Amino acid sequence: MAYTHRPVEEEDFESIRRFPQNAKELFFMYPRWAYPVSAAEMWEVARSRLLPTVLLDEEQAAAYCNLYPAEGEEGLWIGNVIVSPVHRGRGAGSALLRIMMEKAKHELGADRLSLMCHSINTAALLLYHKLGFTPFDWAEKTGPEGEKLLLLKLRRSLEDM
């Protein structure tokens, strides 16, 4: 599938906010939000991030994420990754993350990118592994239903891009 991309616009969040299908998926995207999240809440966070980008299938939003410098952490981080249920397993996540790696390197001068992923988010972990991200740290967190979760921090060099 040939996807395109562009900077996210405020009106995109009317469809992006529907990508998380339940509280757990929204928690994976951004643990501070309550399900269901509003477009305004998403837009507010996006405005504070770097290069918030929407992946498009024709004119339809297929995936979204952004970059940010994490307080107390080195370098740039990928955040708020979410793929439309219609585009899951069809290469949208991989396409968007590759675009963001290129943008981080060439537009922001980053030499590596990091991200966080909960250990029970197997599909995301498999995608990140396929793209060359490897774990470098972890933390115990509380999930959306009060359960204990392992939050993995993963990193990838951008030198080979």
Side-chain angles (χ1 to χ4, degrees):
M1 177 159 289
Y3 292 106
T4 59
H5 68 279
R6 64 169 165 71
V8 76
E9 297 170 357
E10 185 174 4
E11 55 271 12
D12 293 323
F13 289 109
E14 279 306 321
S15 58
I16 295 169
R17 74 178 196 84
R18 293 182 178 87
F19 290 0
Q21 298 295 286
N22 52 50
K24 185 187 284 185
E25 287 186 11
L26 182 63
F27 179 81
F28 293 158
M29 182 184 183
Y30 193 66
R32 295 182 191 143
W33 286 329
Y35 186 80
V37 65
S38 72
E41 289 173 285
M42 287 185 149
W43 176 242
E44 183 178 330
V45 170
R47 292 183 339 169
S48 70
R49 300 293 177 101
L50 303 171
L51 303 174
T53 301
V54 62
L55 187 77
L56 301 169
D57 175 11
E58 309 256 334
E59 291 300 311
Q60 190 83 343
Y64 166 76
C65 72
N66 54 55
L67 301 173
Y68 66 99
E71 194 171 314
E73 302 278 0
E74 275 186 43
L76 286 177
W77 292 70
I78 297 175
N80 306 134
V81 179
I82 190 74
V83 176
S84 162
V86 173
H87 291 89
R88 293 177 187 172
R90 297 174 59 194
S94 180
L96 181 58
L97 289 169
R98 290 179 195 282
I99 289 163
M100 297 309 283
M101 289 187 287
E102 289 287 336
K103 287 176 166 278
K105 180 175 182 172
H106 298 294
E107 293 180 35
L108 301 174
D111 60 355
R112 70 177 182 208
L113 273 178
S114 302
L115 56 84
M116 294 182 224
C117 187
H118 294 92
S119 60
I120 62 171
N121 192 351
T122 305
L125 287 171
L126 290 170
L127 171 62
Y128 300 145
H129 173 73
K130 180 177 100 173
L131 293 173
F133 286 86
T134 56
F136 70 92
D137 199 4
W138 60 274
E140 187 177 302
K141 295 289 182 182
T142 303
E145 298 172 7
E147 73 276 27
K148 288 187 178 186
L149 296 177
L150 183 65
L151 178 68
L152 297 168
K153 295 180 181 181
L154 299 100
R155 182 176 290 151
R156 186 199 193 283
S157 171
L158 300 178
E159 292 179 12
D160 61 343
M161 297 195 75

